[in-house]
Amino acid sequence: MVFRKLPGVSASGMGLRLSQKFVFLLFLSGLVTLCFGALFFLPDSVRLKRIFLSKTESQPVTVGSENDVREHLKKGAKDPEHLRGITSAKGETSTKLKALSRKPSVTNEAKTDKKNAGGETLEDVMPSRSKTESASKDEKVTSSSNQGANTDTSFDYNKFKKCLLKPPLGIEHGKPSDPQTLQRREKVKEMMKFAWDNYKSFAWGKNELRPLTRNGHIGNMFGGLRGASIVDSLDTLYIMGLMDEYNDAKEWVETSLDLNSNGEASLFEVNIRYVGGLLSAYYLTGEEMFKRKVMVLGEKLLPAFNTPTGIPRGVINLGSSGTSWSWGWASAGSSILAEFGTLHLEFVHLSELSNNGIYTEKVMNIRKLLNKIEKPHGLYPNFLSPVSGNWVQHHVSIGGLGDSFYEYLIKSYLMSDKTDEEAKKMYYSALEAIEANLVQKSPGGLTYMAEWRGGILDHKMGHLACFSGGMVVIGADDGAPEKRQHYLDLAAEITHTCHESYSRSATKLGPEAFRFDGGAEATATRLSDRYYILRPEVIESYMYMWRLTHDPKYREWGWEAVEALEQHCRVEAGFSGIRDVYAQTVSHDNMQQSFFLSETLKYLYLLFSDDDLLPLEDWVFNTEAHPLPVVRKSCLRGEGGTHDKTTSK
Ligand code: DMJ
């Protein structure tokens, strides 16, 4: 190559002498070293740092830069809470989630796109024998390379069964004697089989079915874990007696659920769906394989708690780095109440099964902090810093961002065989604060739970908040005796309001959020709140209200929902969410959420079953409707044995 001489510039390095060149180079290299070194001292949220430093570093990384939030807002969300409501917080697997994480999970998305374009992924073409080998090899590697949390797995399943008060599946699988109810239950079972068969035909091994395009969806919420619909369906199939389907699901978990993933997962979602699903499959069936799997997975979640306060961050890398960080959209790198507050039930069971207290310690530490911290008007705001342990802003909601934290307080108490007095106290004080500050009556006489923003009420109730009818009714008996009737009434009123949000729509399905201002009464006023994504919360409350009151209207309301689902959400190859519950002609969102199989259909089936199918004296449902048994410590540690085994299933 020939260098042409520029006019006025010497060919020997712009006319500099050798010594000058040396000093200049020295200065330049010093400058570079200084700049790079300075990166380490920048706050974690600075974008530059995230670009240059890989997330495989062992220190926790926080994100939450304004840029990230702006990105999400650009994508159509009005505010982070709204965004959460429609995507990550409550388990949605919308591709919008891509915008939520620190950066898209390249591995998953690349594979999904390929598949959607008609290409096969490696997983698709791997013969199942080699999958088996690879799955079990991966588990061994993971186990030995982790923190050694699972040392003793000598859980006595037979003893556990003896400590149940009643057989889990009742005398006859909860078969109702009334022919109409039985017929309705059969219909729900058929819906489950239809949803499952289509998932199996078109999306087997993927996380969800896309029923219109007849393919699978993977998304990036589960950090590379697959088969969310399979793990979420295990217990539903089992209690419905769909045994061929259950056996297929079990075999897939055994041979193909690869836990050695290295992706970025939502701690909350992996916990409620995978940990919850595997735990309940184990407790219901006694299959040791489920226990082995869940222990490996549980151990992978522990690094999320390595923060200055022990409050876990929302996103965790499931690989060996165990790096965790906060959602990009969460205020100032904060953790979300509904996420870190929805681990308790599953983690207590991980400790039970492993005989290792570490899981319980982790969640008790969260509990301790929340119990101690000062609460505005006794309320728990939705965002907390995992670094300082302080609230980050004062937004309180019983819907998205807050919801299942409250649910887990009362359920922790119930699951502890009513021994966890701290959980009980926290639950009833929280409920008192909620009643004093959030519970409202509309001009038309509907009771609802508003949201609270630093003392200002937002008169909106999310579909997600409709679980609270069920929550209040299961806690009615254990509150102060003089409040029992009041809690029953409150639960009935909330459930009634949620039913109204369904019956006031053209489709008889409820919107994502409904309002009580500007003349609205339990209807959505914003276009962006009109969708329904097969959510369970309203039906969940019908189920609990039925169990605890036996008022036949709850079964009628459940049947209305079945008819609406059949009419508007059933498509040729599965069930799909809809974009506008007020439209006469619906438009489908092409997603069969895994919680439809795990929760919506399970709660409907239970609603039309006798109460002895998964009796509430023995079972507590996690927030994804996976039944977990009440822990009867004295029985488990002693001789055990409470129910008549001749009727046991
Ligand atoms: C589910 O994943 C769980 O119920 C979660 O707690 C919130 N909601 C979704 C379904 O709506």
Side-chain angles (χ1 to χ4, degrees), residues 85 88-92 221 232 268-269 272-273 338 342 400 403-404 407-408 463-464 467 512 533-537 540 593-596 598-600 603 622-625:
S88 76
K90 304 324 295 171
E92 291 69 319
M221 206 157 53
D232 250 357
F268 164 79
E269 297 293 354
I272 66 169
R273 301 194 202 205
T342 309
D403 52 6
S404 38
E407 174 187 347
Y408 270 35
H463 192 289
L464 292 165
F467 83 98
E512 177 67 6
I533 56 167
L534 306 174
R535 285 195 190 282
E537 291 77 16
E540 173 180 351
Q593 302 281 353
S594 79
F595 53 67
F596 180 65
S598 146
E599 296 190 73
T600 313
Y603 286 133
N622 90 339
T623 195
E624 189 77 0

Coordinates of all heavy atoms in Angstrom, one line a residue, residues 85 88-92 221 232 268-269 272-273 338 342 400 403-404 407-408 463-464 467 512 533-537 540 593-596 598-600 603 622-625, ligand 1:
G85 N -48.7 -4.9 34.5 CA -50.0 -5.5 34.5 C -50.2 -6.4 33.3 O -50.8 -7.4 33.3
S88 N -45.1 -8.8 32.5 CA -44.4 -9.7 33.3 C -45.0 -10.0 34.7 O -45.0 -11.1 35.1 CB -43.0 -9.1 33.6 OG -43.1 -8.1 34.6
A89 N -45.6 -9.0 35.3 CA -46.0 -9.2 36.7 C -46.9 -10.4 36.9 O -46.7 -11.2 37.8 CB -46.7 -8.0 37.2
K90 N -47.8 -10.5 36.1 CA -48.8 -11.6 36.4 C -48.7 -12.7 35.4 O -49.6 -13.4 35.1 CB -50.2 -11.0 36.4 CG -50.4 -9.8 37.4 CD -49.6 -10.0 38.6 CE -50.0 -11.1 39.5 NZ -49.0 -11.3 40.6
G91 N -47.5 -12.9 35.0 CA -47.3 -14.2 34.3 C -47.5 -14.2 32.8 O -47.6 -15.2 32.2
E92 N -47.7 -13.0 32.2 CA -47.9 -13.1 30.8 C -46.7 -13.4 30.0 O -45.6 -13.1 30.4 CB -48.5 -11.7 30.3 CG -49.8 -11.4 30.9 CD -49.8 -11.2 32.3 OE1 -49.1 -11.9 33.0 OE2 -50.5 -10.3 32.8
M221 N -39.2 -15.4 29.5 CA -39.5 -15.2 30.9 C -39.0 -16.3 31.8 O -38.8 -16.1 33.0 CB -41.1 -15.2 31.1 CG -41.5 -14.4 32.2 SD -43.2 -14.0 32.0 CE -44.0 -15.5 31.6
D232 N -47.0 -26.7 34.1 CA -48.2 -26.1 34.7 C -49.4 -27.0 34.7 O -50.4 -26.8 35.4 CB -48.5 -24.8 34.0 CG -48.2 -23.6 34.9 OD1 -47.8 -23.7 36.0 OD2 -48.4 -22.4 34.4
F268 N -39.8 -14.9 40.0 CA -41.2 -15.1 40.4 C -41.9 -16.1 39.5 O -42.5 -17.1 40.0 CB -41.9 -13.7 40.3 CG -43.4 -13.8 40.3 CD1 -44.1 -13.9 41.5 CD2 -44.1 -13.6 39.1 CE1 -45.5 -14.0 41.5 CE2 -45.5 -13.6 39.1 CZ -46.2 -13.8 40.3
E269 N -41.8 -16.0 38.2 CA -42.5 -16.9 37.3 C -41.9 -18.3 37.4 O -42.7 -19.2 37.3 CB -42.4 -16.3 35.9 CG -43.0 -15.0 35.6 CD -44.5 -15.0 35.8 OE1 -45.1 -16.1 35.9 OE2 -45.1 -13.9 35.7
I272 N -43.3 -19.7 40.7 CA -44.8 -20.1 40.8 C -45.2 -21.2 39.9 O -46.0 -22.0 40.2 CB -45.7 -18.9 40.7 CG1 -45.7 -18.2 39.3 CG2 -45.4 -17.8 41.8 CD1 -46.8 -17.2 39.1
R273 N -44.5 -21.2 38.7 CA -45.0 -22.2 37.7 C -44.2 -23.5 37.7 O -44.7 -24.5 37.8 CB -44.9 -21.6 36.3 CG -45.7 -20.3 36.1 CD -45.9 -19.9 34.7 NE -46.2 -18.5 34.6 CZ -46.9 -18.0 33.6 NH1 -47.3 -18.7 32.6 NH2 -47.1 -16.7 33.6
A338 N -44.9 -8.0 44.8 CA -45.6 -9.3 44.5 C -44.6 -10.4 44.0 O -45.0 -11.5 44.0 CB -46.6 -9.0 43.3
T342 N -43.8 -13.5 46.9 CA -44.5 -14.7 46.5 C -43.6 -15.9 46.3 O -43.6 -16.5 45.2 CB -45.3 -14.4 45.2 OG1 -46.0 -13.2 45.4 CG2 -46.3 -15.4 44.8
G400 N -51.9 -6.0 40.2 CA -50.5 -6.2 39.7 C -49.5 -5.5 40.6 O -49.8 -4.4 41.1
D403 N -50.4 -7.9 44.6 CA -51.4 -8.9 44.8 C -51.0 -10.2 45.6 O -51.4 -10.4 46.8 CB -52.0 -9.4 43.5 CG -51.1 -9.7 42.4 OD1 -49.9 -9.7 42.7 OD2 -51.5 -10.0 41.3
S404 N -50.1 -11.0 45.0 CA -49.9 -12.3 45.7 C -49.1 -12.2 47.0 O -49.0 -13.2 47.7 CB -49.3 -13.3 44.7 OG -48.4 -12.7 43.8
E407 N -51.8 -12.5 49.4 CA -52.3 -13.9 49.3 C -51.4 -14.9 50.1 O -51.8 -15.7 50.8 CB -52.3 -14.2 47.8 CG -52.7 -15.7 47.5 CD -52.5 -15.9 45.9 OE1 -52.4 -15.0 45.2 OE2 -52.5 -17.1 45.6
Y408 N -50.0 -14.6 49.9 CA -49.1 -15.6 50.5 C -49.0 -15.4 52.0 O -48.6 -16.3 52.7 CB -47.7 -15.5 49.9 CG -47.6 -16.4 48.7 CD1 -48.7 -16.7 47.8 CD2 -46.4 -17.1 48.4 CE1 -48.6 -17.6 46.8 CE2 -46.3 -18.0 47.3 CZ -47.4 -18.2 46.5 OH -47.3 -19.1 45.5
H463 N -58.1 -6.8 36.8 CA -58.6 -8.2 36.9 C -57.8 -9.0 37.9 O -58.4 -9.8 38.6 CB -58.5 -8.8 35.5 CG -59.2 -10.1 35.3 ND1 -58.7 -11.3 35.9 CD2 -60.3 -10.5 34.6 CE1 -59.6 -12.3 35.6 NE2 -60.5 -11.8 34.8
L464 N -56.5 -8.7 37.9 CA -55.7 -9.4 38.9 C -56.1 -9.3 40.3 O -56.0 -10.2 41.1 CB -54.2 -8.9 38.7 CG -53.5 -9.2 37.4 CD1 -52.3 -8.4 37.2 CD2 -53.1 -10.7 37.4
F467 N -58.6 -11.7 42.6 CA -58.3 -12.9 43.4 C -58.7 -12.6 44.8 O -58.9 -13.6 45.6 CB -56.8 -13.2 43.3 CG -56.0 -12.4 44.3 CD1 -55.7 -12.9 45.5 CD2 -55.7 -11.1 44.0 CE1 -55.0 -12.2 46.5 CE2 -55.0 -10.3 44.9 CZ -54.7 -10.9 46.2
E512 N -59.1 -6.3 31.4 CA -57.9 -6.3 32.2 C -58.0 -5.4 33.4 O -57.5 -5.7 34.5 CB -56.7 -6.0 31.3 CG -55.4 -5.9 32.0 CD -54.9 -7.3 32.5 OE1 -55.5 -8.3 32.3 OE2 -53.9 -7.3 33.3
I533 N -57.0 -12.2 28.8 CA -56.0 -13.1 28.3 C -56.1 -14.5 29.0 O -55.1 -15.1 29.4 CB -54.5 -12.6 28.4 CG1 -54.3 -12.1 29.9 CG2 -54.3 -11.4 27.5 CD1 -52.8 -11.9 30.1
L534 N -57.4 -14.9 29.2 CA -57.7 -16.2 29.8 C -57.3 -16.3 31.3 O -57.0 -17.4 31.8 CB -57.0 -17.4 29.0 CG -57.2 -17.4 27.5 CD1 -56.3 -18.5 26.9 CD2 -58.7 -17.7 27.2
R535 N -57.3 -15.1 31.9 CA -56.9 -15.1 33.3 C -57.9 -15.8 34.2 O -59.1 -15.9 33.9 CB -56.9 -13.6 33.8 CG -55.7 -12.9 33.3 CD -55.6 -11.6 34.1 NE -54.6 -10.7 33.6 CZ -53.3 -10.8 33.7 NH1 -52.8 -11.8 34.4 NH2 -52.5 -9.9 33.2
P536 N -57.4 -16.3 35.4 CA -58.2 -17.1 36.3 C -58.9 -16.3 37.5 O -59.8 -16.9 38.1 CB -57.2 -18.0 36.9 CG -55.9 -17.2 36.9 CD -56.0 -16.3 35.7
E537 N -58.4 -15.1 37.8 CA -58.7 -14.6 39.1 C -60.2 -14.5 39.5 O -60.5 -14.8 40.7 CB -58.1 -13.2 39.3 CG -56.5 -13.2 39.4 CD -55.9 -13.3 38.0 OE1 -56.6 -13.2 37.0 OE2 -54.7 -13.6 37.9
E540 N -61.3 -18.0 40.1 CA -60.7 -18.4 41.4 C -61.5 -18.0 42.6 O -61.8 -18.8 43.5 CB -59.3 -17.8 41.4 CG -58.5 -18.0 42.7 CD -57.1 -17.3 42.6 OE1 -56.7 -16.8 41.6 OE2 -56.5 -17.2 43.7
Q593 N -52.3 -19.1 27.2 CA -51.4 -18.9 28.3 C -51.3 -20.2 29.1 O -52.3 -20.9 29.3 CB -51.9 -17.8 29.3 CG -52.1 -16.5 28.6 CD -50.8 -15.7 28.5 OE1 -49.7 -16.1 29.0 NE2 -50.8 -14.6 27.8
S594 N -50.1 -20.5 29.7 CA -50.0 -21.7 30.5 C -50.9 -21.7 31.8 O -51.4 -22.7 32.2 CB -48.6 -22.1 30.9 OG -48.1 -21.3 31.9
F595 N -51.2 -20.5 32.3 CA -52.0 -20.4 33.5 C -53.5 -20.7 33.2 O -54.3 -20.9 34.1 CB -51.9 -19.1 34.2 CG -52.1 -17.8 33.4 CD1 -53.3 -17.5 32.9 CD2 -51.0 -17.0 33.2 CE1 -53.5 -16.3 32.1 CE2 -51.2 -15.8 32.5 CZ -52.4 -15.5 31.9
F596 N -53.8 -20.8 31.9 CA -55.2 -21.2 31.5 C -55.4 -22.7 31.9 O -56.4 -23.1 32.4 CB -55.5 -21.0 30.0 CG -56.8 -21.4 29.6 CD1 -58.0 -20.7 30.1 CD2 -57.0 -22.4 28.7 CE1 -59.2 -21.1 29.6 CE2 -58.3 -22.8 28.3 CZ -59.4 -22.1 28.7
S598 N -53.3 -24.3 34.0 CA -53.0 -24.6 35.4 C -54.0 -24.0 36.4 O -54.3 -24.6 37.4 CB -51.6 -23.9 35.6 OG -51.5 -23.4 36.9
E599 N -54.6 -22.9 36.0 CA -55.5 -22.2 37.0 C -56.9 -22.1 36.5 O -57.8 -22.7 37.2 CB -55.0 -20.7 37.2 CG -53.6 -20.6 37.8 CD -53.4 -19.2 38.3 OE1 -54.0 -18.7 39.2 OE2 -52.6 -18.5 37.6
T600 N -57.2 -21.5 35.4 CA -58.5 -21.2 35.0 C -59.3 -22.5 34.9 O -60.4 -22.6 35.5 CB -58.5 -20.5 33.6 OG1 -57.6 -19.4 33.7 CG2 -59.9 -19.9 33.3
Y603 N -59.6 -24.4 38.4 CA -60.5 -23.8 39.4 C -62.0 -24.1 38.9 O -62.9 -24.3 39.7 CB -60.3 -22.3 39.5 CG -59.1 -21.9 40.3 CD1 -58.2 -20.9 39.9 CD2 -58.9 -22.5 41.6 CE1 -57.1 -20.6 40.7 CE2 -57.8 -22.2 42.4 CZ -56.9 -21.2 41.9 OH -55.8 -20.9 42.7
N622 N -50.9 -22.6 45.5 CA -50.0 -21.4 45.3 C -50.7 -20.5 44.3 O -51.8 -20.7 43.8 CB -48.6 -21.9 44.9 CG -48.4 -22.1 43.4 OD1 -49.4 -22.2 42.6 ND2 -47.2 -22.1 42.9
T623 N -50.0 -19.4 44.0 CA -50.7 -18.4 43.2 C -50.9 -18.8 41.7 O -51.5 -18.1 41.0 CB -49.9 -17.0 43.3 OG1 -50.8 -16.0 42.8 CG2 -48.6 -17.0 42.6
E624 N -50.3 -19.9 41.4 CA -50.5 -20.5 40.0 C -51.5 -21.7 40.1 O -51.5 -22.5 39.2 CB -49.1 -20.9 39.4 CG -49.1 -21.3 38.0 CD -49.2 -20.1 37.0 OE1 -49.3 -19.0 37.4 OE2 -49.2 -20.4 35.8
A625 N -52.2 -21.8 41.2 CA -53.1 -22.9 41.5 C -52.5 -24.3 41.6 O -53.2 -25.3 41.4 CB -54.2 -22.9 40.4
Ligands
DMJ1 C1 -50.8 -16.2 37.2 O1 -49.5 -16.5 36.6 C2 -50.7 -16.1 38.7 O2 -51.9 -16.2 39.2 C3 -50.1 -14.9 39.2 O3 -50.1 -14.7 40.6 C4 -50.9 -13.7 38.7 N1 -51.7 -14.0 37.6 C5 -51.3 -14.9 36.6 C6 -52.6 -15.2 35.8 O4 -53.4 -14.1 35.6

